[in-house]
Amino acid sequence: MKLTKKDILGIKDISVEEIKLILDTAESFIEVSTREIKKVPTLRGKTIINLFFEASTRTRTSFEIAGKRLSADTINISASTSSVVKGETLIDTARNIEAMNPDAIVIRHSAAGAPHLLARMVKQSIINAGDGAHEHPTQALLDMMTIREKKGRIAGLAVAIVGDIAHSRVARSNIYGLTKMGARVIVAGPAMMIPRDIERMGVSVYHKLEDAIKDVDIIMMLRIQMERQQQKIFPSLREYSNYFCLNRNNITLAKDDVLVMHPGPINRGIEISPDIADGPYSVILDQVTNGVAVRMALLYLLIGGKS
Amino acid sequence: MKLLLKGGRVIDPSQDLDAKMDILIAHGKILEVGRKIHKHGANFRKQTETDITVINLGGMVVVPGLIDMHTHLREPGFEYRETIRTGSEAASFGGFTSVACMPNTMPANDNRSVTEYIVRKAAACNIVNVYPIASITMGSEGNVMTEFRDLRDAGAVAFSDDGKPVNNSALMRRALEYASSLGLPIISHCEDLSLSAGGSMNEGFVSTELGLQGIPAIAEEAFIARDIIIAEYTGALLHIAHVSTAGAVRLIRTAKERGLKITAETAPHYFTLTEDALREYDTCTKVNPPLRTAEDVKAIKEGLKDGTIDAIASDHAPHAPTDKEVEFEYAAFGITGLETSLSLSLRLVEESILTLNQLILKMSTIPARILNLPKGNLRAGADADITVLDLNKKWTVDRAMLRSKGKNTPFHQWTLKGKPVLTIMGGGIKYQELP
Ligand SMILES: [Zn+2]
């Protein structure tokens, strides 16, 4: 079975069956990464371009490793959105890349909807590796894979997502994915970081960390972006971490077997205390491992087996 | 040469006329409006028959030439987006015989020479009447007031810093007082920039889902409230541009109930589309103020129906592909509108929100009144600016076929019913597609 869609732009457009297919496929790829020769010939002769308009070493590396373990040729292009006249970069780069005839383009961009623009312009498969505050589908998939691996299921679990929800693509993709898979999703953060009408996405909203994480199975802490303070969105990092840092005291409110997740990179001591990040509840490194497997699965399902 | 328009249904709200009538035109003026004007009647005695063109308009609707009181013609300075000529051609295709053009050109229309340039250029094109709106402040920068009187004498019909608000309330007050003393309105683009900064669509559920920064309704409403308060205090002539929210309609309605002489306009996209149109990140749906919610659309329609909103204006904002074929948040704001404005507005008649008579009021008679133009009626002696509509003609909007240089329409491939088929300005036929 293969994915029938051309692009993966967001979890919103992916069905439950497709999510299950991707996660099942990813699980079967876990084994490849544990071999001594970590390579299968599945995508030999295929070319994947990682087009990153926004710096992200970990996501880019994860996609690159995923491609390479499937024997695809992966090429990284880092473009800056600030150096050239905005927008021209994307359209010009896209046409140039299309002319080189790759099989898939992985795009990371600071502007929401940039992958959609690219998908309209080129015939190749587009994978969204994060667009502005919109979606980050592979992150949500690896998060769901990690939850399923640790808990055996997603349906029926209570998941709290904590932080700057308004600016988080990770939050949006996880809300779509987790609610589709039957989890109960709670979002929490200071009022300024909760976007308008988010309840209509099927989540409940809290403004107190303690209320949000009470009896939950999973806590996802989001990275706080330092520049938001300059944008007058919150008073200070001190104020934020005083009330929204996950630590050994407040974590006791959650279920005893709670999992702590974080999309990284972590601001230690700001949204999560070091002992929690490195402690027994943390599955942060499993997330990274599963990230490679999920990206292998997506690449395989999108462009594998096509002639 | 004389023109005889025979057998059409003539609607002129200014004289409560809705009847099958003939209209005789000569020397750029309406000579006579009457039942069965005979080719050999009194007005023809000294003419030879070859001097008279008779156009049979059976089944057509004949109305005063439409007036678009909010157009961006982009010239001088942004000729790659639109010129006075291409904008005039688009207007004429859309049934307009007059347009009032906004001053956010390069240079801005903030001095007599630019106003005169626009007037001269438009006259040379001779397709529609073009009435320049001058800027309130130099360069529309919100600091120094322009020379209102000199600009009026050069041909400006109103003042506006459209595209931007006048942030400084004291300056806005002085501008309203001064313009009003000259008998001219201030057309206010109401937007609290501190609330809208960085936004590219309406703030709400859809912006939350799309991850785009929102422009909240309160950004528009806060400044409408401010301007109403200043207008009430000064008794000045205030016209609110492009009303898009339910809250704005409410504010204007209660102000009018208190007896204020403010006026307001909305644009067809605000009663035709909602923020849901943005879901595919189509930059042709990016406009300022942004497309709002279904409740806002409902309120705009109610405002049109009860007279809270006086006029429909296109806010024609043509852009080049380079302005729009970019990431959504980098794309320019604006919708090209002259060619679809009437057909979209006719849907209000179809939905029984407005009568045809009320629609013509809002697209011709009232805009003429607000801008003090000797237009918007079909009385004998008036300028022969006449639009003929075929209410049953179906047509499909095709971006490639637009006369405007701006192809940025969200209505591409929409099939619309009702269309201008003959546009007469100053007694001359400027556009026609009669069967
Ligand atoms: Zn405006």
Side-chain angles (χ1 to χ4, degrees):
Chain A
M1 201 179 150
K2 287 276 185 299
L3 287 173
T4 49
K5 29 178 64 75
K6 169 182 165 278
D7 312 301
I8 299 294
L9 301 179
I11 301 290
K12 187 178 183 188
D13 330 304
I14 304 181
S15 68
V16 170
E17 289 66 37
E18 287 169 323
I19 291 171
K20 285 182 178 157
L21 171 67
I22 295 163
L23 299 189
D24 291 346
T25 311
E27 275 171 18
S28 71
F29 279 126
I30 283 279
E31 183 265 336
V32 176
S33 298
T34 61
R35 291 182 197 174
E36 195 169 317
I37 310 272
K38 298 179 186 57
K39 214 169 179 118
V40 288
T42 319
L43 295 185
R44 195 162 60 200
K46 304 278 183 184
T47 308
I48 299 160
I49 292 186
N50 292 325
L51 182 56
F52 276 59
F53 289 89
E54 198 181 62
S56 166
T57 312
R58 62 175 62 204
T59 305
R60 202 209 63 223
T61 309
S62 182
F63 267 108
E64 193 177 353
I65 290 174
K68 290 201 157 119
R69 288 198 178 150
L70 294 169
S71 303
D73 296 309
T74 57
I75 288 102
N76 295 321
I77 299 176
S78 298
S80 158
T81 33
S82 55
S83 61
V84 199
V85 180
K86 279 177 176 170
E88 277 185 1
T89 334
L90 179 57
I91 208 155
D92 293 343
T93 313
R95 290 194 175 128
N96 275 294
I97 289 174
E98 185 177 33
M100 292 183 253
N101 211 19
D103 298 280
I105 302 170
V106 176
I107 178 175
R108 157 70 63 99
H109 201 295
S110 62
H116 305 66
L117 177 62
L118 187 63
R120 276 199 294 273
M121 285 190 300
V122 306
K123 58 180 184 291
Q124 285 84 7
S125 284
I126 305 298
I127 299 176
N128 180 2
D131 63 325
H134 179 227
E135 282 229 42
H136 191 352
T138 57
Q139 178 71 41
L141 289 165
L142 73 88
D143 288 342
M144 288 189 280
M145 181 181 177
T146 307
I147 294 171
R148 208 173 72 161
E149 177 187 294
K150 303 292 175 192
K151 296 285 186 191
R153 66 190 167 109
I154 296 171
L157 298 179
V159 184
I161 307 176
V162 181
D164 185 359
I165 309 295
H167 296 92
S168 175
R169 51 191 171 218
V170 175
R172 282 172 181 75
S173 286
N174 266 305
I175 290 169
Y176 289 128
L178 291 166
T179 53
K180 270 181 205 200
M181 301 303 283
R184 187 165 64 83
V185 179
I186 293 149
V187 299
M192 312 79 85
M193 294 181 174
I194 303 294
R196 208 154 168 89
D197 295 335
I198 194 157
E199 299 85 353
R200 287 174 62 189
M201 291 180 77
V203 301
S204 40
V205 176
Y206 290 93
H207 298 299
K208 253 183 97 176
L209 177 64
E210 290 76 11
D211 294 342
I213 62 176
K214 193 165 183 310
D215 297 326
V216 299
D217 301 279
I218 317 281
I219 303 171
M220 278 187 193
M221 298 305 292
L222 300 175
R223 177 181 166 78
I224 195 81
Q225 303 285 329
M226 308 293 185
E227 67 264 25
R228 303 292 171 216
Q229 193 189 351
Q230 274 85 55
Q231 295 166 358
K232 304 182 178 64
I233 285 169
F234 69 103
S236 66
L237 283 177
R238 176 176 172 274
E239 170 103 343
Y240 183 85
S241 65
N242 275 349
Y243 299 101
F244 284 95
C245 184
L246 187 67
N247 57 43
R248 80 174 85 168
N249 296 322
N250 52 33
I251 201 169
T252 57
L253 293 164
K255 286 210 177 125
D256 293 340
D257 58 349
V258 67
L259 299 183
V260 174
M261 306 177 79
H262 192 296
I266 296 170
N267 298 309
R268 275 168 199 272
I270 296 196
E271 68 258 359
I272 188 165
S273 68
D275 53 339
I276 296 296
D278 306 325
Y281 307 111
S282 171
V283 291
I284 295 170
L285 293 176
D286 302 84
Q287 289 174 271
V288 177
T289 307
N290 289 339
V292 174
V294 150
R295 288 165 181 132
M296 286 171 79
L298 264 189
L299 290 169
Y300 165 72
L301 291 168
L302 276 180
I303 62 170
K306 284 186 213 161
S307 56
Chain B
M1 195 198 79
K2 291 183 178 176
L3 205 54
L4 179 58
L5 308 179
K6 276 197 80 70
R9 174 185 166 198
V10 175
I11 297 179
D12 179 6
S14 81
Q15 44 181 328
D16 251 327
L17 179 68
D18 184 349
K20 200 167 164 183
M21 291 273 183
D22 298 345
I23 299 178
L24 182 63
I25 298 163
H27 310 297
K29 301 280 183 188
I30 294 174
L31 215 56
E32 188 186 347
V33 182
R35 288 174 207 278
K36 295 206 193 301
I37 298 176
H38 199 266
K39 209 167 158 180
H40 303 292
N43 280 309
F44 292 93
R45 237 164 248 158
K46 288 176 183 141
Q47 301 284 334
T48 61
E49 275 192 27
T50 50
D51 286 318
I52 308 158
T53 305
V54 179
I55 302 176
N56 202 320
L57 296 177
M60 303 290 156
V61 174
V62 183
V63 301
L66 303 181
I67 300 170
D68 191 51
M69 65 178 299
H70 191 144
T71 298
H72 295 271
L73 291 179
R74 305 300 192 202
E75 190 179 349
F78 302 110
E79 290 83 357
Y80 70 101
R81 290 173 171 161
E82 191 81 290
T83 63
I84 289 169
R85 176 169 292 279
T86 56
S88 296
E89 284 168 354
S92 195
F93 176 87
F96 295 99
T97 54
S98 299
V99 301
C101 61
M102 284 297 175
N104 58 342
T105 47
M106 182 69 82
N109 182 12
D110 61 8
N111 65 81
R112 172 182 275 272
S113 65
V114 178
T115 304
E116 285 174 345
Y117 170 83
I118 295 167
V119 170
R120 206 164 52 238
K121 192 80 193 273
C125 292
N126 192 31
I127 300 166
V128 291
N129 305 296
V130 175
Y131 296 100
I133 296 166
S135 61
I136 298 170
T137 62
M138 295 305 292
S140 290
E141 283 168 356
N143 300 316
V144 180
M145 229 191 287
T146 57
E147 297 171 334
F148 283 14
R149 235 173 131 154
D150 197 34
L151 286 158
R152 182 195 64 179
D153 293 346
V157 295
F159 300 97
S160 179
D161 275 356
D162 187 52
K164 290 178 190 167
V166 176
N167 246 321
N168 184 315
S169 302
L171 201 156
M172 187 61 169
R173 173 203 169 164
R174 299 305 178 206
L176 276 162
E177 287 173 332
Y178 191 29
S180 211
S181 74
L182 301 173
L184 300 191
I186 293 278
I187 300 177
S188 183
H189 169 114
C190 294
E191 178 181 1
D192 183 331
L193 292 173
S194 68
L195 285 166
S196 64
S200 49
M201 68 172 295
N202 182 51
E203 180 175 289
F205 177 56
V206 180
S207 68
T208 289
E209 283 214 308
L210 294 181
L212 289 169
Q213 198 173 322
I215 298 172
I218 55 170
E220 179 174 338
E221 293 155 7
F223 264 43
I224 290 180
R226 181 200 71 169
D227 286 356
I228 287 173
I229 289 165
I230 301 174
E232 185 159 20
Y233 184 66
T234 57
L237 297 170
L238 169 68
H239 177 78
I240 314 269
H242 41 56
V243 171
S244 77
T245 78
V249 173
R250 231 174 8 247
L251 284 164
I252 295 162
R253 184 179 289 129
T254 55
K256 285 186 166 190
E257 282 165 6
R258 287 203 305 281
L260 268 74
K261 284 186 187 60
I262 59 165
T263 54
E265 72 186 36
T266 190
H269 38 270
Y270 298 120
F271 54 76
T272 310
L273 297 173
T274 67
E275 56 186 357
D276 275 304
L278 277 78
R279 286 202 174 273
E280 301 301 314
Y281 295 94
D282 176 2
T283 56
C284 286
T285 60
K286 183 175 175 181
V287 61
N288 190 24
L291 301 176
R292 306 282 189 184
T293 67
E295 293 91 85
D296 294 304
V297 168
K298 190 164 162 274
I300 296 288
K301 287 178 176 176
E302 283 164 7
L304 283 163
K305 193 181 175 77
D306 71 10
T308 301
I309 300 174
D310 303 88
I312 297 171
S314 72
D315 195 2
H316 177 71
H319 283 290
T322 47
D323 302 320
K324 285 289 196 181
E325 282 178 9
V326 297
E327 295 87 330
F328 199 88
E329 61 193 64
Y330 308 149
F333 288 101
I335 288 174
T336 195
L338 281 168
E339 291 163 82
T340 50
S341 189
L342 177 80
S343 296
L344 292 168
S345 300
L346 280 169
R347 289 156 59 103
L348 299 172
V349 177
E350 196 88 344
E351 291 176 48
S352 301
I353 288 154
L354 297 179
T355 63
L356 194 52
N357 192 76
Q358 288 169 326
L359 180 67
I360 302 310
L361 266 171
K362 291 183 197 296
M363 294 189 76
S364 180
T365 309
I366 293 175
R369 210 174 286 160
I370 294 169
L371 299 175
N372 308 299
L373 309 178
K375 303 278 181 187
N377 71 79
L378 295 173
R379 291 168 192 271
D383 294 336
D385 291 357
I386 299 170
T387 303
V388 177
L389 314 175
D390 181 345
L391 297 183
N392 296 312
K393 188 179 179 104
K394 286 197 174 147
W395 67 292
T396 301
V397 181
D398 181 347
R399 124 179 341 147
M401 299 298 287
L402 295 177
R403 268 77 177 162
S404 169
K405 283 193 180 183
K407 311 300 179 193
N408 47 306
T409 175
F411 304 107
H412 181 58
Q413 293 304 333
W414 280 42
T415 296
L416 302 173
K417 192 177 158 209
K419 196 184 175 312
V421 288
L422 176 64
T423 311
I424 296 169
M425 190 276 284
I429 293 174
K430 302 301 174 183
Y431 178 76
Q432 76 115 342
E433 52 172 297
L434 284 166

